[in-house]
Amino acid sequence: MTRTKAFTRSTFRSMRVRNYRLYFYGQLVSTTGTWMQTVALGWLVLRITNSGFDVGVVTALQFLPMLLIGTYGGVIADRLDKRRTLVITQSGMAVAAAGLAAIALTGADPLWAIYLLTVVSGAFAAVDTPVRQAFVSEMVGTEDLPNAVALNSAMFNTSRVIGPALGAVVINLLNVGPCFVANAVSFVAVIGGLLLMRPAELFTIPPVARAKHQARDGLRYVWQTPELRAAILMMAVVGTLAFNFTVVLPVLAKFTFHGDAGTYGLLTSLMGLGSIIGALGVASKLAPTAKLLVGSCLAFGVVMTLSAVAPTLMGEELLIVLLGLTSITFMATVNSTCQLSSVPEMRGRVMALYALVFLGSTPVGGPIVGWIDQQFGPRFGMGVGGVATLFAAVAFGAVLLRRRLRVHDGPMLPALDPSAERAAA
């Protein structure tokens, strides 16, 4: 076997699982539609208000439910059948997207209605995200879990290349309304994939019985597990101040480089291209390490800081590719760390906390970065994220490397043998 074939076989090994293939391709279509809507939503609000702060507000509202009820989404993930729950949450987000499409197509553009439907969509996502994250292990088992997480990142960022590019073309040719329509229709693919799965082939984890204080138990479990505590704290800092690209990029494109929706779409697509490269690199590895976690965080901070001072659009475009590569490597490594360091009966609540600090921090960080964009310019908004990421790498990375923590499929992960997992299911 040649080196190229060995790399390909190792990188895409989770695709051998039929249930995962259905999930993968369905999500690819759906997230492409979501990115089309993301481009359209930011551009629509910017067109109505001409304010970077309001773009930050609508982004914050999208993730506000995650901040408020995200931990309970993790409890739902541990209690209920994940596949059936995902059908419900995906259907709810499809209805919200259809509502946004109806508003955009009328041309009235009432800002309050846009905000309201954004919150509704976010409420379904607050449950969907931890369920979807925890469901990955039930499709592929623990052995291929790091690979599946990385392939999910590659899929997500493939859509981040395709979606904004399609969105920019549609906006320029037809306006923003058809982007919302495309997103509503795209949910058919992922819902269909979930319904076509074979339940008998899932590595089903028995649901956790209802009990008091389960959300609190999840928080205590994370804090008492060193690997989880360090990874979550790093993501909390980076998620709050650095992962605000939907706030920074449209303002950067319009006011710093004097571009249009096509410029914004290009920057987002280039970031997605870099993310695909980074995700495939992570997928070829067997397990995340402390060095990879700290190194990717440090590289992410350096590149983001350089992006804040790029003098030309061409220079920004080159750095944006590297920004996508380093950011997704960090994100995928944190995700795998959280999943592999948690016992199955706690995985939903752990991933809810991961989603909380990654996505739920946006209602805090989004308006802050939007205000910085408005008062001092988008370069400062980008620079704050870069400095915060460097701080996280130095502060928490030093602790990780000192302890030489490594995520591995050791004693804390039960049922490592696939046949044993299937028997348990």
Side-chain angles (χ1 to χ4, degrees), residues 102-171:
I103 290 173
L105 291 173
T106 62
D109 299 335
L111 198 58
W112 68 267
I114 294 171
Y115 285 168
L116 177 61
L117 284 171
T118 300
V119 171
V120 171
S121 179
F124 281 106
V127 178
D128 180 87
T129 301
V131 176
R132 182 162 36 85
Q133 298 278 356
F135 186 53
V136 175
S137 63
E138 293 196 5
M139 287 184 286
V140 300
T142 53
E143 184 177 357
D144 288 332
L145 181 58
N147 176 256
V149 169
L151 288 181
N152 283 352
S153 298
M155 171 267 294
F156 178 81
N157 288 286
T158 298
S159 67
R160 190 160 71 173
V161 173
I162 300 171
L166 287 176
V169 171
V170 170
I171 291 171

Side-chain angles (χ1 to χ4, degrees), residues 284-372:
S284 65
K285 299 180 181 299
L286 294 178
T289 64
K291 288 184 179 180
L292 178 61
L293 180 61
V294 176
S296 61
C297 187
L298 184 64
F300 180 19
V302 170
V303 174
M304 193 168 188
T305 304
L306 291 175
S307 297
V309 297
T312 65
L313 179 59
M314 181 174 293
E316 187 67 52
E317 290 168 353
L318 293 174
L319 285 168
I320 282 290
V321 175
L322 293 177
L323 189 62
L325 187 154
T326 53
S327 65
I328 204 66
T329 301
F330 170 69
M331 186 178 72
T333 305
V334 174
N335 189 306
S336 294
T337 299
C338 289
Q339 296 221 43
L340 288 173
S341 296
S342 56
V343 293
E345 59 269 23
M346 282 288 185
R347 192 165 291 146
R349 279 164 282 182
V350 170
M351 297 316 297
L353 189 56
Y354 164 82
L356 177 65
V357 298
F358 177 42
L359 301 175
S361 59
T362 303
V364 178
I368 291 173
V369 173
W371 180 83
I372 293 172

Side-chain angles (χ1 to χ4, degrees), residues 6-179:
F7 174 81
T8 302
R9 185 172 181 179
S10 174
T11 301
F12 296 97
R13 59 187 180 274
S14 293
M15 297 297 286
R16 296 173 297 181
V17 181
R18 177 183 179 274
N19 285 339
Y20 180 75
R21 287 198 305 272
L22 289 169
Y23 171 86
F24 182 94
Y25 292 121
Q27 283 288 338
L28 178 61
V29 174
S30 180
T31 52
T32 298
T34 298
W35 275 108
M36 292 180 68
Q37 175 170 298
T38 299
V39 172
L41 186 61
W43 202 254
L44 176 62
V45 172
L46 194 61
R47 187 186 71 189
I48 295 170
T49 66
N50 205 38
S51 168
F53 176 75
D54 287 313
V55 176
V57 169
V58 77
T59 303
L61 290 176
Q62 183 177 355
F63 300 110
L64 179 61
M66 181 68 71
L67 180 63
L68 298 178
I69 64 172
T71 55
Y72 294 99
V75 174
I76 291 173
D78 288 332
R79 282 182 182 174
L80 303 180
D81 181 277
K82 296 177 181 60
R83 186 173 68 99
R84 294 175 183 173
T85 304
L86 287 175
V87 171
I88 296 171
T89 56
Q90 294 284 318
S91 299
M93 287 187 285
V95 172
L100 285 170
I103 290 173
L105 291 173
T106 62
D109 299 335
L111 198 58
W112 68 267
I114 294 171
Y115 285 168
L116 177 61
L117 284 171
T118 300
V119 171
V120 171
S121 179
F124 281 106
V127 178
D128 180 87
T129 301
V131 176
R132 182 162 36 85
Q133 298 278 356
F135 186 53
V136 175
S137 63
E138 293 196 5
M139 287 184 286
V140 300
T142 53
E143 184 177 357
D144 288 332
L145 181 58
N147 176 256
V149 169
L151 288 181
N152 283 352
S153 298
M155 171 267 294
F156 178 81
N157 288 286
T158 298
S159 67
R160 190 160 71 173
V161 173
I162 300 171
L166 287 176
V169 171
V170 170
I171 291 171
N172 283 330
L173 294 179
L174 302 173
N175 212 334
V176 295
C179 290

Side-chain angles (χ1 to χ4, degrees), residues 229-230 294 393-405:
R229 184 174 65 241
V294 176
V394 173
F396 301 112
V399 176
L400 273 174
L401 292 178
R402 190 184 308 122
R403 294 177 62 92
R404 293 184 174 275
L405 296 175

